[in-house]
Coordinates of all heavy atoms in Angstrom, one line a residue:
S300 N 5.7 3.1 11.1 CA 5.6 4.5 11.0 C 6.0 5.2 12.4 O 5.7 4.8 13.3 CB 4.1 4.9 10.8 OG 3.7 4.5 9.6
E301 N 6.9 6.2 12.2 CA 7.3 6.9 13.5 C 6.3 7.9 13.9 O 5.7 8.5 13.0 CB 8.7 7.6 13.2 CG 9.1 8.3 14.5 CD 10.5 9.0 14.3 OE1 11.1 8.9 13.1 OE2 10.9 9.7 15.2
I302 N 6.0 7.9 15.2 CA 5.0 8.9 15.7 C 5.7 9.6 16.8 O 6.4 9.1 17.6 CB 3.8 8.1 16.3 CG1 3.2 7.3 15.2 CG2 2.8 9.1 16.9 CD1 2.0 6.3 15.7
Q303 N 5.5 11.0 16.8 CA 6.0 11.9 17.8 C 4.9 12.8 18.2 O 4.3 13.5 17.2 CB 7.3 12.7 17.4 CG 8.5 11.8 17.2 CD 9.7 12.6 16.9 OE1 9.7 13.9 16.8 NE2 10.8 12.0 16.5
G305 N 1.9 12.6 18.9 CA 0.6 12.3 18.3 C 0.5 12.5 16.8 O -0.6 12.5 16.2
F306 N 1.7 12.7 16.1 CA 1.8 13.0 14.7 C 2.7 12.0 14.0 O 3.7 11.6 14.6 CB 2.2 14.4 14.4 CG 1.2 15.5 14.7 CD1 1.2 16.0 16.0 CD2 0.2 15.9 13.8 CE1 0.2 16.9 16.3 CE2 -0.7 16.8 14.1 CZ -0.7 17.3 15.4
Y307 N 2.3 11.6 12.9 CA 3.2 10.7 12.0 C 4.4 11.6 11.6 O 4.2 12.8 11.2 CB 2.5 10.2 10.7 CG 1.5 9.1 11.1 CD1 0.2 9.4 11.1 CD2 1.9 7.8 11.5 CE1 -0.9 8.5 11.4 CE2 0.9 6.9 11.7 CZ -0.4 7.2 11.7 OH -1.4 6.3 12.0
I308 N 5.6 11.0 11.6 CA 6.7 11.7 11.1 C 7.0 11.2 9.7 O 7.2 10.1 9.4 CB 7.9 11.5 12.1 CG1 7.6 11.9 13.5 CG2 9.2 12.2 11.6 CD1 7.2 13.4 13.6
M309 N 7.1 12.2 8.8 CA 7.4 11.9 7.4 C 8.9 11.5 7.2 O 9.7 11.9 8.1 CB 7.0 13.1 6.5 CG 5.6 13.7 6.8 SD 4.3 12.4 6.5 CE 4.5 12.3 4.7
S313 N 9.6 16.0 8.7 CA 8.5 16.9 9.2 C 7.3 16.2 9.7 O 7.1 14.9 9.6 CB 8.1 17.7 7.9 OG 7.5 16.8 6.9
K314 N 6.4 16.9 10.4 CA 5.2 16.2 10.9 C 4.1 16.1 9.8 O 4.0 16.9 9.0 CB 4.5 17.3 11.9 CG 5.1 17.2 13.3 CD 4.2 18.0 14.3 CE 4.8 18.0 15.6 NZ 4.1 18.8 16.6
G315 N 3.6 15.0 9.9 CA 2.5 14.5 9.0 C 1.2 14.6 9.6 O 1.0 15.5 10.6
K316 N 0.2 13.9 9.3 CA -1.1 14.0 9.9 C -1.2 13.4 11.3 O -0.3 12.6 11.6 CB -2.1 13.3 9.0 CG -2.0 11.8 9.0 CD -3.1 11.3 8.0 CE -3.0 9.7 8.0 NZ -4.1 9.1 7.3
S317 N -2.2 13.8 12.1 CA -2.3 13.3 13.4 C -2.8 11.9 13.3 O -3.5 11.5 12.4 CB -3.5 14.1 14.0 OG -3.8 13.6 15.2
V318 N -2.3 11.1 14.3 CA -2.8 9.8 14.4 C -4.2 9.6 14.7 O -4.9 8.6 14.4 CB -2.0 9.0 15.5 CG1 -0.5 8.9 15.1 CG2 -2.2 9.5 16.9
M319 N -4.8 10.7 15.2 CA -6.3 10.7 15.5 C -7.1 10.8 14.2 O -8.3 10.5 14.3 CB -6.6 11.8 16.4 CG -5.8 11.9 17.7 SD -6.1 10.3 18.7 CE -7.8 10.5 19.1
D321 N -6.8 8.8 11.7 CA -6.9 7.4 11.2 C -8.2 6.7 11.8 O -8.5 6.6 12.8 CB -5.7 6.5 11.5 CG -4.5 6.9 10.4 OD1 -4.8 7.5 9.5 OD2 -3.4 6.7 10.9

Side-chain angles (χ1 to χ4, degrees):
S300 295
E301 182 179 356
I302 299 170
Q303 290 182 11
F306 290 88
Y307 291 105
I308 302 302
M309 305 304 289
S313 64
K314 274 187 183 178
K316 68 180 182 172
S317 169
V318 296
M319 300 305 288
D321 284 341

